[in-house]
Amino acid sequence: MSDENPRLSIVVGGDCSILLRALGRAVGGVELRIHAVSSAAELIARLDELSPDLVFVDADCERPLGLEMCRAVKEHPTTMLVPVVAMSRSSERRLAALAAGADDFVTPHVRRDVFRARVETLARTGAARRKIAAAQLTAEKEQREQIRRMFRRYVSPRIADKILADAELRDQLVTQPDLRTHAVVMFADMRGFTCISERLSPSAVVPLLNEYFSLLTEIAFRHDGTVFHMAGDCLMVGFGVPMPQPDGPERAIRAAREMLASFGQLAQAWKDRYQIETGLGIGIHAGDVVAGNVGSPAYMSYTIIGDTVNVASRLCQRARAGEILFSRALKDLLDARGVELGVLELPPMTLRGRTAPIDIYCVPLERRLEIAS
């Protein structure tokens, strides 16, 4: 509707000629555009063309055109907020029209000035409803885009789509400062990176890191992991956060194995190209974590924190190149799900600040390298 030449689009079903004569050609300085339709199906089919601001229906039609149009208008998402006025001589028909969704009713003998005032009010109410609905839709789109921007760097497209499709989870992630949940945390760290940095120039090291992180994040996303941290040559991935994943332990192990196999090929290519020796060590632990935006008003990062993260990091530090180390907590989860890996139990590991050591296990691999970090 143009502000210079405002118009009100009115759709009419049935014989509402009495009402149209009472309205005239304009209401409150707004020009009226009248469109007649013969059925509710025609109204819905021509919605884009008609774009109704107000609907009049004749509830006294022999066939139930009026009631059908009331229901059709109120059930369609595009027109559900458009006011509907039903005209009838019968009080029973008027009540039936209200039950079908009509916002107001009139009799053929309604006073002209009263009718015009009611139409003006309904038109304003309908416009206000649609304005509020449009604002709500815009706010929801902005919220969805905020989440999309927030998570597109961290989660796989499948997980992002699930978050956006789940209104409760979406609101929780936006409104709650943190999320406390059980998760599987995996750290992957390149072995021999210090030597690489010493032998190659920074301009040569950066492309290698980009290759490295691109490979690992693609694998993490393929197994629906969430990338929480990328610094130096270390990558942190979470499973079961921000969305629950009952099979998170299996996903973590499969992702770890694929990372080792794929990075082995990349490391061989680097060796042929630069004569450097490198490998990958991985540590995995399961337990409670807190996920949320951490940082300052100037810079925030979505991450996970807690003892589970610290233990996974220590396991990764201990892992040799080509090795996956994980805790009893993860093994217990795998055992409970009937997953048999044929793991090798290693001597317990004592962590700084803990009185009791933790049991650790290794996934047997064909090739492990002794490469310093």
Side-chain angles (χ1 to χ4, degrees):
M1 187 182 298
S2 170
D3 292 335
E4 296 178 358
N5 187 21
R7 296 178 178 179
L8 196 68
S9 177
I10 298 179
V11 173
V12 179
D15 183 12
C16 295
S17 55
I18 296 174
L19 301 184
L20 298 179
R21 285 196 297 271
L23 273 181
R25 295 185 177 181
V27 173
V30 178
E31 179 185 347
L32 304 181
R33 299 185 66 181
I34 311 299
H35 310 277
V37 294
S38 58
S39 67
E42 181 186 354
L43 167 60
I44 299 304
R46 297 175 59 191
L47 274 181
D48 290 341
E49 170 198 348
L50 302 177
S51 188
D53 297 301
L54 202 61
V55 175
F56 289 159
V57 297
D58 179 4
D60 289 337
C61 290
E62 291 184 5
R63 55 195 179 91
L65 169 64
L67 301 185
E68 286 180 356
M69 285 191 62
C70 287
R71 294 192 186 95
V73 170
K74 292 305 177 180
E75 291 175 359
H76 198 282
T78 304
T79 57
M80 61 188 303
L81 298 178
V82 173
V84 177
V85 179
M87 182 191 73
S88 176
R89 295 176 174 82
S90 162
S91 59
E92 183 179 342
R93 284 295 186 102
R94 292 196 293 268
L95 289 175
L98 291 173
D103 297 272
D104 199 357
F105 66 85
V106 294
T107 68
H109 308 295
V110 64
R111 282 174 44 187
R112 179 187 178 100
D113 57 343
V114 172
F115 178 56
R116 289 172 64 88
R118 287 163 74 174
V119 168
E120 286 186 37
T121 300
L122 284 170
R124 285 196 302 269
T125 301
R129 286 177 183 170
R130 294 193 294 278
K131 186 176 181 180
I132 292 171
Q136 291 173 337
L137 180 61
T138 299
E140 183 176 346
K141 287 181 177 178
E142 289 177 352
Q143 185 188 66
R144 290 170 69 90
E145 183 57 32
Q146 177 186 353
I147 295 175
R148 186 177 286 109
R149 289 194 304 268
M150 179 179 174
F151 288 103
R152 64 183 175 183
R153 295 179 300 168
Y154 306 112
V155 303
S156 70
R158 284 193 298 270
I159 296 296
D161 289 342
K162 288 180 181 179
I163 292 172
L164 293 172
D166 188 328
E168 183 177 348
L169 177 60
R170 192 171 67 239
D171 293 341
Q172 181 186 60
L173 292 172
V174 171
T175 59
Q176 291 189 5
D178 55 56
L179 171 68
R180 299 173 185 274
T181 187
H182 191 277
V184 177
V185 181
M186 178 176 72
F187 276 83
D189 190 79
M190 193 190 307
R191 300 293 178 252
F193 179 68
T194 302
C195 295
I196 294 173
S197 301
E198 291 174 353
R199 291 187 56 184
L200 301 179
S201 66
S203 60
V205 172
V206 169
L208 297 186
L209 284 175
N210 289 339
E211 281 187 87
Y212 166 73
F213 282 124
S214 295
L215 175 69
L216 267 56
T217 54
E218 286 175 10
I219 294 172
F221 287 168
R222 200 148 46 234
H223 295 275
D224 288 336
T226 300
V227 176
F228 286 102
H229 178 76
M230 216 182 291
D233 59 330
C234 181
L235 180 76
M236 178 173 68
V237 181
F239 297 86
V241 60
M243 289 189 64
Q245 290 173 316
D247 60 346
E250 298 103 291
R251 289 179 182 273
I253 290 294
R254 289 198 298 266
R257 281 178 156 168
E258 187 176 346
M259 286 179 181
L260 287 180
S262 297
F263 184 73
Q265 299 173 13
L266 181 60
Q268 184 60 50
W270 288 356
K271 184 176 181 180
D272 296 340
R273 198 186 319 164
Y274 300 108
Q275 291 73 54
I276 56 177
E277 190 85 13
T278 184
L280 188 68
I282 294 177
I284 311 174
H285 183 47
D288 294 334
V289 300
V290 176
N293 285 304
V294 177
S296 69
Y299 178 79
M300 301 290 287
S301 177
Y302 186 72
T303 190
I304 51 177
I305 59 174
D307 184 63
T308 300
V309 176
N310 297 334
V311 172
S313 176
R314 297 290 179 79
L315 288 169
C316 180
Q317 292 170 9
R318 177 162 173 173
R320 292 175 291 179
E323 193 170 62
I324 303 171
L325 295 186
F326 58 90
S327 64
R328 173 174 287 279
L330 184 72
K331 184 177 184 301
D332 288 345
L333 291 174
L334 293 169
D335 290 344
R337 294 183 59 81
V339 178
E340 178 55 53
L341 296 176
V343 299
L344 176 65
E345 185 171 2
L346 299 180
M349 182 175 71
T350 301
L351 301 179
R352 186 173 63 250
R354 286 180 174 232
T355 56
I358 65 169
D359 296 328
I360 62 174
Y361 300 84
C362 173
V363 177
L365 298 169
E366 296 179 359
R367 179 173 179 268
R368 289 198 295 265
L369 302 174
E370 294 294 343
I371 301 174
S373 297

